[in-house]
Amino acid sequence: MIKIESNFSGKHLISLDQLDRASIEFLFEKANWLKKEYQKSSISKLLEGKTVSLLFFEPSSRTFSSFSAAVKKLGGVTVEFQNMMETSSTVKGETLADTVNVFENYSDLIVMRHPEVGSLKTASQASYSTPLVNAGDGAGEHPTQALLDLFTIQEQFGKLDGLKGLLAGDLLFGRTVHSLIKAFSNFDNMTLYLLSPKELRMPQEIIQEAQEKGLKLIEIEDEKDIPTDLHFWYWTRVQKERFESNEEYEKVKNKFILTPKLIEEKANSETIFMHPLPRVGEILPEVDKNPKALYLKDQIKNGLYIRMTIISLILNRL
Ligand code: NCD
């Protein structure tokens, strides 16, 4: 995949592998500016005249509406297609390449979510001239989610170097954590604890690649082994839709639950609590009122600003 090298203009965004540290810092600088300007309400025409197609072959609430709001709030328009596995010409046997080529005629940019790992790469290779943004390719990656998560962490601590965090839950099928690890591996002296059931461990190739880049990764299998000096906890849902059978899913679901008691025992006064959502029981609602719980507030808000920034940069408006 083509590297971003601090220049998003006209490029696909498919994997965190495309971004180095300088590109992430460049994006965050722009996002910080946009967040401030947008709050003053002075840049609502940034995407005027631009059309972004949202092609979602898999269920989505936040990512879909966040992209949709991001475009519209900046004066662009969207062509929106959800549940494409049931309602699009895919049902008639149309290839992904054909779908992309058709929508290119209506779009300056295409945002796509698809159940197959690698499908966004395939789709981007089929595109004649329209940039594509990966909104989740099966158990592969989810780059915009990882970038908004990283931005949120950086906003809280003013830095990323030297931080320590926890990724918990389904690290095998969770695409947000795959992109996140790749993102973290650009920063210095970071340590991540990986808490998952044995069956749902982070894929070895992702671990190895990140370690080679200097990220310190420690796999644990018990909540007792969470150290008390972490800056962030990032919880995830067990990805039910990726299991062969419901039985397999039932065996490993909700093995680790974020509760006020666990916070009391293992967090410190600085620890922030994150989740990409949706949650399905792995964070108790009692945690929501904790001022350090960011999953229903900062992460969602920053998702909007990061997506506004990415789209504007790719479309050369920022
Ligand atoms: C995530 C996803 O779709 O990968 N959701 C999201 O986009 N915020 C996480 C999940 O579905 O568990």
Side-chain angles (χ1 to χ4, degrees):
M1 287 304 318
I2 188 159
K3 300 279 185 206
I4 299 292
E5 289 174 333
S6 304
N7 176 10
F8 287 75
S9 176
K11 291 178 183 164
H12 303 295
L13 178 59
I14 309 297
S15 163
L16 248 297
D17 289 335
Q18 294 170 260
L19 288 115
D20 55 12
R21 180 182 181 129
S23 303
I24 295 173
E25 286 173 348
F26 169 79
L27 171 69
F28 288 0
E29 204 181 292
K30 295 287 184 186
N32 268 319
W33 177 85
L34 187 141
K35 185 171 177 174
K36 279 199 207 93
E37 286 303 306
Y38 187 77
Q39 282 163 352
K40 285 192 263 164
S41 211
S42 56
I43 52 163
S44 53
K45 289 187 164 42
L46 205 60
L47 290 176
E48 201 168 46
K50 295 291 184 188
T51 303
V52 175
S53 288
L54 309 180
L55 307 184
F56 278 55
F57 293 81
E58 261 199 342
S60 174
S61 312
R62 265 151 304 275
T63 306
F64 185 84
S65 41
S66 171
F67 270 112
S68 174
V71 176
K72 289 171 185 151
K73 280 171 180 279
L74 293 180
V77 295
T78 53
V79 173
E80 305 192 348
F81 215 149
Q82 288 215 68
N83 305 317
M84 292 189 76
M85 282 302 194
E86 289 92 55
T87 57
S88 75
S89 286
T90 307
V91 181
K92 302 181 189 170
E94 185 170 73
T95 63
L96 189 58
D98 279 2
T99 304
V100 169
N101 294 149
V102 168
F103 277 87
E104 280 191 78
N105 290 282
Y106 322 132
S107 328
D108 297 294
L109 184 145
I110 296 173
V111 178
M112 186 183 281
R113 169 172 286 191
H114 194 278
E116 274 165 44
V117 176
S119 51
L120 262 288
K121 192 170 173 204
T122 310
S124 68
Q125 284 160 349
S127 161
Y128 291 121
S129 58
T130 311
L132 262 83
V133 173
N134 184 359
D137 62 321
E141 283 207 51
H142 194 346
T144 62
Q145 177 72 42
L147 288 165
L148 79 87
D149 294 331
L150 205 68
F151 182 76
T152 304
I153 297 170
Q154 146 122 2
E155 197 173 55
Q156 291 291 315
F157 297 102
K159 60 173 187 178
L160 290 162
D161 292 325
L163 297 187
K164 291 182 177 180
L166 171 75
L167 305 185
D170 186 348
L171 307 184
L172 175 64
F173 297 124
R175 54 195 172 200
T176 69
V177 286
H178 298 165
S179 290
L180 252 185
I181 286 217
K182 288 171 187 270
F184 287 135
S185 66
N186 287 295
F187 295 87
D188 298 330
N189 198 20
M190 278 194 86
T191 308
L192 287 184
Y193 288 80
L194 306 177
L195 172 66
S196 67
K198 254 200 198 69
E199 299 86 342
L200 301 177
R201 283 167 64 184
M202 180 66 70
Q204 268 311 307
E205 62 276 15
I206 296 183
I207 291 193
Q208 244 170 34
E209 201 185 301
Q211 281 174 333
E212 277 162 23
K213 289 178 84 177
L215 189 64
K216 203 163 161 217
L217 296 173
I218 299 156
E219 292 190 87
I220 56 176
E221 279 172 37
D222 197 318
E223 287 169 354
K224 284 199 203 77
D225 298 325
I226 302 174
T228 54
D229 63 345
L230 301 185
H231 296 92
F232 59 91
W233 291 6
Y234 187 95
W235 232 261
T236 64
R237 163 182 82 92
V238 175
Q239 309 277 303
K240 185 177 185 183
E241 64 275 33
R242 313 277 177 232
F243 285 77
E244 301 275 327
S245 69
N246 202 42
E247 217 176 40
E248 297 290 305
Y249 167 70
E250 292 292 330
K251 268 194 249 162
V252 287
K253 74 163 195 195
N254 290 353
K255 205 156 172 203
F256 302 114
I257 299 181
L258 179 43
T259 63
K261 183 165 172 282
L262 188 64
I263 292 177
E264 178 77 32
E265 286 169 7
K266 293 288 187 182
N268 60 66
S269 61
E270 272 196 303
T271 315
I272 55 171
F273 308 109
M274 303 176 72
H275 193 300
L277 301 180
R279 65 173 151 175
V280 286
E282 66 279 356
I283 298 185
L284 294 190
E286 292 88 302
V287 176
D288 301 356
K289 58 181 181 297
N290 187 313
K292 297 282 184 183
L294 306 186
Y295 40 87
L296 294 168
K297 297 174 288 191
D298 302 51
Q299 277 179 275
I300 308 287
K301 275 265 159 54
N302 285 336
L304 187 64
Y305 295 120
I306 282 287
R307 292 184 173 113
M308 283 176 167
T309 308
I310 290 171
I311 294 169
S312 302
L313 285 171
I314 295 177
L315 294 179
N316 214 5
R317 288 282 175 93
L318 197 62

